[in-house]
Amino acid sequence: MAEYDYDLFTIGAGSGGVRASRVAAGHGARVALAEDYRVGGTCVIRGCVPKKLFTYAAHFSQDFEDAAGYGWRIAGAEFSWPALMDAKDREIARLEGIYRNLLAQSKVETIDGRATIVGPHTVEVAGRRVTARHILVATGGAPSRPEIPGAELCITSNEAFELRELPRRVLVIGGGYIAVEFAGILRGLGARVTLAYRGEQVLRGFDDDVRAHLSIELVKHGIDLRLNAAPVSVERRVDGSLRATLRTAAGLETQDVDAVMLATGRAPATRGLGLEALGVALDADGGVVVDAYGTTNVPGIHAVGDVTNRIALTPVAIREGAALATTLFGGRPVPVDHRDVAHAVFSDPPVGAVGLTEGAARALSDAVIVHKASFRPLKATLSGRDQKTLMKLVVDAGTHRVLGAHMVGPDAPEIIQGIAIAVKAGLTKAQFDETVAIHPTAAEEFVTMR
Ligand code: NDP
């Protein structure tokens, strides 16, 4: 009889947990996976996928306006929030079904229930105890709320995906990915949006030119961008609306809105799993500390994805999950390389980036060459839209390697995905220049910058 009930017990059916489980099962491991919510995780259920669908929905308002410059007359266009929500819900349910089928086809046993770790090889789930040679924590993260009076009156991205009606006036608090993405979505769909960020410029960690360029475009898009504005409190008014108080350079000011959305970061979901009792090392934010393969300080307990508090992106979690499963069951240790991970913000206009920012490159060396281009996209000529695209390459002046590529503008995520291959491969500026352009595109600017 086998020593353990399973070779791998995964907690959390998000991108990382599902991939690890399926790859492990493919190597012949006996795998169970527990999920207490819906299979698919944040990305599929209330993150990347529905968010991207919402950005498409939001963009139509601009498309209709732009169409006029191309000879179209579109009268009577109307938007229905319930229709969008129904369509989104159907698609997410379809995807969840696909995930469940893929798990079943891979011979992974899916258990609906919340699992806790009660011993180095023992898990309690759905009223029973099971044992496993390896336990994988892939529980992801959850929105974190600032400790201000009235935080409980606010929504987070979780609730934003379930709203019954589109709020007319929204205050979005935060300046990261979710804040700028939702500000654009809500604005595009017709809400009046204020985006309040406590710092000097949105998207901390991104290239400074990108941050400055995006904030100009956000304002052009009709977003009331308030920088150096920190949340103080939120209260419910007699008419049911919300009054938010912000601290700004000029003192306290209030905003009366129908909804306040907190997009103030996400925290690793490690509470109540039993990790502390087993002595699993956690970082200051509660993230599980792991090595390059995904193993914690307790042998047999592993973690991948957002719960490890490294790079909270789906493709990274997928990579970490596959690497861990191959390391444990494929007979080949696979470390994960977290360098040069391309990333995108689906703001309006969107941002794409890979590699070093100018600031990060200059912190490493003085010998940095920067190439920049800012131009009006061809489409904007006839549409008359006041919009500019920014593209930027950060190059090592000694080796001529392209260290970073950054873009703000239509299709930036799609374009940067291709450029990311070149940056990851360590190609030089000369090799970019040797590449013949595709004309007329925006992307060609990356091979014609001199
Ligand atoms: P981010 O960490 O990106 O941004 C959090 C924002 O909230 C920052 O601007 C931060 O300010 C601000 N903030 C934090 N605490 C407070 C506070 N107490 N009061 C006021 N403001 C505060 O988190 P998100 O929630 O936007 O997203 C979480 C992660 O999910 C992202 O980092 C990303 O990894 C991932 N994600 C990726 C997406 C994509 O790939 N397109 C889309 C959405 C999420 P400060 O900068 O000053 O710290």
Side-chain angles (χ1 to χ4, degrees):
M1 200 181 120
E3 196 183 342
Y4 299 104
D5 299 324
Y6 299 101
D7 298 311
L8 176 68
F9 193 100
T10 302
I11 307 177
S15 304
V18 167
R19 179 56 63 96
S21 300
R22 293 184 60 210
V23 172
H27 286 301
R30 297 162 309 143
V31 185
L33 181 160
E35 170 59 53
D36 68 352
Y37 183 55
R38 293 176 65 181
V39 170
T42 302
C43 179
V44 175
I45 306 296
R46 46 191 178 188
C48 329
V49 176
K51 180 275 308 288
K52 187 80 188 278
L53 296 175
F54 280 11
T55 65
Y56 287 130
H59 208 270
F60 280 106
S61 55
Q62 275 190 35
D63 294 338
F64 295 145
E65 286 170 13
D66 290 352
Y70 285 86
W72 289 90
R73 289 289 169 270
I74 299 171
E78 267 177 40
F79 171 68
S80 160
W81 175 260
L84 172 65
M85 290 298 264
D86 283 353
K88 181 270 290 180
D89 288 343
R90 278 195 305 277
E91 176 57 12
I92 300 312
R94 188 185 74 86
L95 290 176
E96 184 179 3
I98 289 176
Y99 265 70
R100 282 190 182 272
N101 280 342
L102 286 174
L103 287 165
Q105 282 162 16
S106 308
K107 308 240 171 333
V108 173
E109 181 185 336
T110 305
I111 302 170
D112 293 306
R114 185 171 174 79
T116 49
I117 307 173
V118 294
H121 297 282
T122 310
V123 171
E124 216 167 68
V125 62
R128 62 188 174 112
R129 280 189 173 207
V130 298
T131 59
R133 182 179 302 278
H134 296 283
I135 296 171
L136 171 59
V137 180
T139 48
S144 53
R145 292 169 187 258
E147 285 177 16
I148 55 166
E152 73 286 352
L153 300 172
C154 306
I155 60 167
T156 67
S157 56
N158 281 355
E159 292 76 35
F161 286 115
E162 303 298 335
L163 288 176
R164 289 180 165 267
E165 51 188 85
L166 180 68
R168 233 168 18 91
R169 302 163 300 170
V170 189
L171 170 66
V172 180
I173 295 176
Y177 281 79
I178 295 178
V180 295
E181 288 182 346
F182 264 92
I185 289 167
L186 295 164
R187 179 74 200 115
L189 295 178
R192 258 173 50 196
V193 178
T194 301
L195 176 59
Y197 173 51
R198 65 181 176 182
E200 295 284 330
Q201 193 56 276
V202 294
L203 289 187
R204 187 161 59 83
F206 281 73
D207 188 272
D208 284 343
D209 284 325
V210 165
R211 300 169 72 192
H213 189 96
L214 179 68
S215 55
I216 292 169
E217 295 297 318
L218 291 177
V219 172
K220 284 186 199 165
H221 190 35
I223 292 166
D224 177 16
L225 177 63
R226 313 300 308 274
L227 298 172
N228 300 304
V232 175
S233 64
V234 178
E235 58 191 303
R236 170 96 51 206
R237 304 176 72 212
V238 278
D239 66 358
S241 66
L242 298 175
R243 173 163 289 178
T245 303
L246 300 171
R247 181 174 293 108
T248 69
L252 293 183
E253 62 178 63
T254 57
Q255 292 264 340
D256 291 336
V257 291
D258 303 303
V260 177
M261 176 169 175
L262 299 172
T264 47
R266 295 175 58 86
T270 44
R271 244 190 256 144
L273 281 175
L275 293 168
E276 292 91 337
L278 282 171
V280 173
L282 303 180
D283 68 19
D285 298 324
V288 182
V289 179
V290 292
D291 63 17
Y293 306 94
T295 296
T296 72
N297 60 318
V298 177
I301 299 192
H302 317 271
V304 297
D306 291 7
V307 77
T308 64
N309 204 20
R310 292 174 292 175
I311 301 179
L313 298 175
T314 288
V316 174
I318 289 173
R319 190 57 72 90
E320 290 169 358
L324 178 74
T326 306
T327 301
L328 297 179
F329 304 107
R332 187 167 58 93
V334 182
V336 176
D337 179 4
H338 287 97
R339 288 168 304 175
D340 294 334
V341 171
H343 44 287
V345 185
F346 295 92
S347 44
D348 198 344
V351 174
V354 61
L356 297 184
T357 63
E358 181 180 345
R362 291 202 189 282
L364 295 174
S365 153
D366 290 334
V368 174
I369 299 172
V370 170
H371 300 269
K372 261 193 271 186
S374 172
F375 56 92
R376 192 178 192 198
L378 182 59
K379 188 177 173 188
T381 54
L382 292 200
S383 71
R385 180 164 297 282
D386 178 16
Q387 185 179 49
K388 277 204 154 174
T389 287
L390 172 78
M391 286 170 148
K392 179 167 175 178
L393 288 177
V394 179
V395 179
D396 183 319
T399 62
H400 299 289
R401 261 187 66 171
V402 175
L403 302 174
H406 308 270
M407 176 172 174
V408 186
D411 301 322
E414 306 286 344
I415 292 168
I416 287 292
Q417 178 67 90
I419 298 292
I421 302 170
V423 172
K424 184 80 185 162
L427 300 192
T428 63
K429 178 67 170 56
Q431 288 168 309
F432 274 60
D433 297 345
E434 277 165 28
T435 307
V436 176
I438 301 175
H439 186 71
T441 62
E444 68 180 308
E445 201 65 38
F446 274 126
V447 296
T448 56
M449 275 191 228
R450 298 286 187 269

